[in-house]
Amino acid sequence: MRVKYALSLIREFTIVELKLRYQGSVLGYFWSLLNPLLMLATLYIVFSLITKFDVENYQLYLLLGILIWNFLSEATNGSMISLVNKSGLIKTFNFPSETIIISSCLAALITFLINFIIFFLFMLIFKVTLSFKLLLFPVYLLQLFIFVLGTSFLLSALYVKYRDMIYIWSFVLLIGFFATPIIYPIYIIPFEYLKYYLLNPLARMIVDMRDIVLFNYIPDPKNFIITFMISLLVFVFGYYIFRKNKHSFVEEI
Amino acid sequence: MISAIKITNLDKKFRIQHHTERTLFHSFRNIFFRNYQYEEFYSLKNINLEINKGEFIGVIGANGAGKTTLLQLIAGIMKPTKGEILSNGKILPIIDLGSSINFELTGRENIFLSGSIIGLSKKEIKSKYSEIIRFSGLKKFIDVKTKHYSSGMKLRLIFSIYLLTNTDILLLDEVFGIGDIRFQKKCLKKMQDLVSEKKTFFLVSQSINLIRNFCDKVIFLDKGKIVYFGDSYVATKKYENLDMTSVETDYNEFGSKEIEITDVKLLNSEKKETTFFNKGEKMIIEIYYDNHKNIKNPMFGLAIFSNNVLLIGPNTSEANVLPFNLKKKGVVSFEIKQIPFQIKKCSLTVAIHSYHGDILYHRKERCKIINIKQNNKQYPFFKTEYNWSFR
């Protein structure tokens, strides 16, 4: 009964969030695509002028990185403030507050998926070889989603207590953007630093996801096991903190 | 009879933090410098209740008596500190009318959103949909965004959703008073129908008439305790006769006491200590302090309340009176040239804070009662002259 209730809430909240996000703007959904495309154009121009990375289909390489990163930052930023934004609801109804976080992340995921369809069209235009290996992509996306969900649970619970999380997190995201191979290929990292560089699980994930989609290459399953374990750990930890603080939200928010 | 709600030995304790800033910096400061200040207070204490199905229960009491907390606990929104609440049936809290509505959505979309929040399946909402629209009388506006609704229309929409859904226990928190009379009557009629179907109602209201006319039994709460539970006439009479002074003299102290308020004196124009004044007369409030930690530049402030309503709340920082190098021991006096208040009894609260008000050194709440003999003269508030001085 409670599960059914939670599921219907997740559905409603997600629909409302998607509806509201693009309502009232002339271009509607296209803003969510235009934004990464403009970013792509800027970065592409800058980085093809300054340095030329030896990457096949660099524009697609860059775009996929940006789309994945946008999903991550949109989901975590949105979830972090969502509890406080819905404080009225938390104070007046007895419902599982997890649904707020989950639907925030789901809305970001759906936006990503729609963007990915457009990305797929670009792939066709640039004649990237397609293969059955693409079917692995959803598995990698799922682990990224688990990672993002765990982070979101943690951040939203912290944000209720500490309002400066929003500044700290935007700083972490900025650092993360450059510490993850989005604009540059991973081979520019000097070998002796690589093991430190790969402590960032997102670096491993993005490299693998690109290998599958763009380079028609099945990544090392050992790598997948590592990132999947990290994602699970982040999820368990984030959700544990969330559960522990859940009952005090109504009093502290 | 089967009981709808049974509450045993219920306590609810809250922590009030004097630091309202919620930043990491402040928590670090609090951990390292140990000025983490909070105090605990009981919003509800030792509540025992048994409510039968089909009863219409009124809840009355002054602001801050614990009425909303009681409803939030029954609804399961908060957890009790101690004790147990057993409920039998689906509960619908109607505590804040706006919270389940999203103003960017249309009336129709909001019916589905609010419906799911209160626990209806999509199928249930669809089956009730036309009935809800008929009851609200908003057919023409149902595809208009609710931000364009008047406040009465919003109320009608929300109430129609809530009242027409199938719940067993409804908790209403001071939600009447807006909306037109016709709709109010329609709602009350619907509520009576629901009661005859063995639905249980809790109604928090300040309207004595509403309580007397509709409630079978009334809970009278005062300072977190049940003073009376039973006949609605007896309860409302008790509430009306609630002695104001008994509330006012209930006094509390807070703070770190780095500067301590040792005494507070009220003086009249002849510098005699008294608590009786005439309207228009001069009043001097003297605050005696002991500056234990040699704090240089604190802020002195006071507040005069009449039955929980603030009349004036001056402080030295606001008046730009700086004590500079405050003495070890001394007196701060505050002078009102002519008392302008139109009430017979009010209470005095005195406090010492740090200059910017972020640290509380000492606060004595309701430490003095001021009696004012009224006359026909008028003394406008904004012309009242105040004066702070240090000795």
Side-chain angles (χ1 to χ4, degrees), chain B residues 200-260:
Chain B
T200 312
F201 274 88
F202 275 76
L203 174 66
V204 170
S205 180
Q206 295 291 347
S207 161
I208 301 287
N209 275 331
L210 194 68
I211 295 275
R212 277 189 192 156
N213 289 334
F214 286 95
C215 299
D216 306 315
K217 281 181 183 170
V218 171
I219 301 166
F220 173 23
L221 281 172
D222 189 28
K223 283 176 252 158
K225 286 180 187 140
I226 296 180
V227 178
Y228 178 82
F229 176 49
D231 181 67
S232 63
Y233 188 79
V234 179
T236 46
K237 205 79 209 156
K238 273 183 193 278
Y239 180 43
E240 281 178 325
N241 293 340
L242 177 68
D243 187 13
M244 299 296 187
T245 52
S246 79
V247 180
E248 304 260 7
T249 46
D250 165 48
Y251 103 86
N252 273 313
E253 288 188 52
F254 312 114
S256 57
K257 292 204 180 173
E258 281 155 308
I259 308 180
E260 199 179 338

Side-chain angles (χ1 to χ4, degrees), chain A residues 127-155:
Chain A
K127 299 198 172 65
V128 177
T129 10
L130 303 174
S131 78
F132 68 96
K133 287 165 193 156
L134 258 177
L135 294 175
L136 272 176
F137 186 66
V139 183
Y140 279 81
L141 195 58
L142 180 73
Q143 71 155 341
L144 179 65
F145 187 71
I146 293 171
F147 180 85
V148 164
L149 199 59
T151 318
S152 298
F153 274 127
L154 178 68
L155 288 173

Side-chain angles (χ1 to χ4, degrees), chain B residues 55-305:
Chain B
E55 278 185 328
F56 203 120
I57 306 292
V59 186
I60 52 174
N63 292 338
K67 305 185 295 290
T68 303
T69 309
L70 181 65
L71 295 198
Q72 283 178 315
L73 287 167
I74 292 174
I77 299 165
M78 285 196 284
K79 298 266 167 285
T81 312
K82 211 191 92 193
E84 198 181 30
I85 301 173
L86 296 173
S87 58
N88 200 345
K90 202 168 157 187
I91 301 176
L92 173 60
I94 310 180
I95 290 173
D96 174 8
L97 282 176
S99 67
S100 70
I101 289 278
N102 192 316
F103 298 122
E104 291 293 327
L105 299 178
T106 65
R108 182 195 302 276
E109 289 166 328
N110 264 314
I111 292 177
F112 283 94
L113 176 63
S114 288
S116 353
I117 289 170
I118 65 180
L120 300 179
S121 68
K122 211 162 189 169
K123 225 167 91 191
E124 282 173 290
I125 304 171
K126 272 185 182 147
S127 70
K128 293 267 178 188
Y129 182 72
S130 48
E131 200 187 339
I132 290 172
I133 293 179
R134 207 178 321 119
F135 192 85
S136 68
L138 289 170
K139 195 165 182 213
K140 248 167 61 189
F141 305 99
I142 206 68
D143 284 317
V144 175
K145 281 187 184 176
T146 37
K147 67 177 171 189
H148 301 302
Y149 281 23
S150 70
S151 54
M153 284 159 76
K154 284 175 198 154
L155 171 98
R156 265 154 55 186
L157 177 70
I158 301 162
F159 240 94
S160 310
I161 301 167
Y162 290 168
L163 280 187
L164 294 175
T165 56
N166 210 7
T167 34
D168 307 301
I169 302 160
L170 289 97
L171 314 170
L172 294 100
D173 188 6
E174 308 206 46
V175 284
F176 279 101
I178 29 175
D180 57 21
I181 292 185
R182 238 179 60 202
F183 188 71
Q184 274 191 28
K185 279 189 178 155
K186 206 163 146 187
C187 284
L188 288 169
K189 168 86 183 28
K190 179 75 195 172
M191 280 155 69
Q192 282 175 322
D193 290 350
L194 289 173
V195 168
S196 60
E197 291 167 28
K198 288 280 165 207
K199 310 285 184 198
T200 312
F201 274 88
F202 275 76
L203 174 66
V204 170
S205 180
Q206 295 291 347
S207 161
I208 301 287
N209 275 331
L210 194 68
I211 295 275
R212 277 189 192 156
N213 289 334
F214 286 95
C215 299
D216 306 315
K217 281 181 183 170
V218 171
I219 301 166
F220 173 23
L221 281 172
D222 189 28
K223 283 176 252 158
K225 286 180 187 140
I226 296 180
V227 178
Y228 178 82
F229 176 49
D231 181 67
S232 63
Y233 188 79
V234 179
T236 46
K237 205 79 209 156
K238 273 183 193 278
Y239 180 43
E240 281 178 325
N241 293 340
L242 177 68
D243 187 13
M244 299 296 187
T245 52
S246 79
V247 180
E248 304 260 7
T249 46
D250 165 48
Y251 103 86
N252 273 313
E253 288 188 52
F254 312 114
S256 57
K257 292 204 180 173
E258 281 155 308
I259 308 180
E260 199 179 338
I261 300 167
T262 47
D263 198 9
V264 177
K265 281 181 182 162
L266 293 172
L267 307 178
N268 64 12
S269 48
E270 284 144 22
K271 302 252 166 167
K272 266 197 185 146
E273 205 178 337
T274 175
T275 59
F276 292 88
F277 295 88
N278 294 313
K279 192 162 104 186
E281 197 190 356
K282 182 152 107 178
M283 175 168 73
I284 302 165
I285 298 166
E286 290 193 330
I287 306 166
Y288 289 75
Y289 63 81
D290 227 339
N291 190 355
H292 299 302
K293 291 264 168 78
N294 231 346
I295 284 151
K296 294 224 160 55
N297 213 355
M299 169 174 86
F300 290 82
L302 55 88
I304 297 179
F305 286 97

Side-chain angles (χ1 to χ4, degrees), chain B residues 34-51:
Chain B
R34 294 190 176 276
N35 61 12
Y36 190 73
Q37 288 174 9
Y38 63 83
E39 59 196 78
E40 293 182 332
F41 92 105
Y42 281 92
S43 178
L44 289 171
K45 185 113 182 93
N46 199 19
I47 303 289
N48 288 288
L49 272 176
E50 189 162 0
I51 310 289

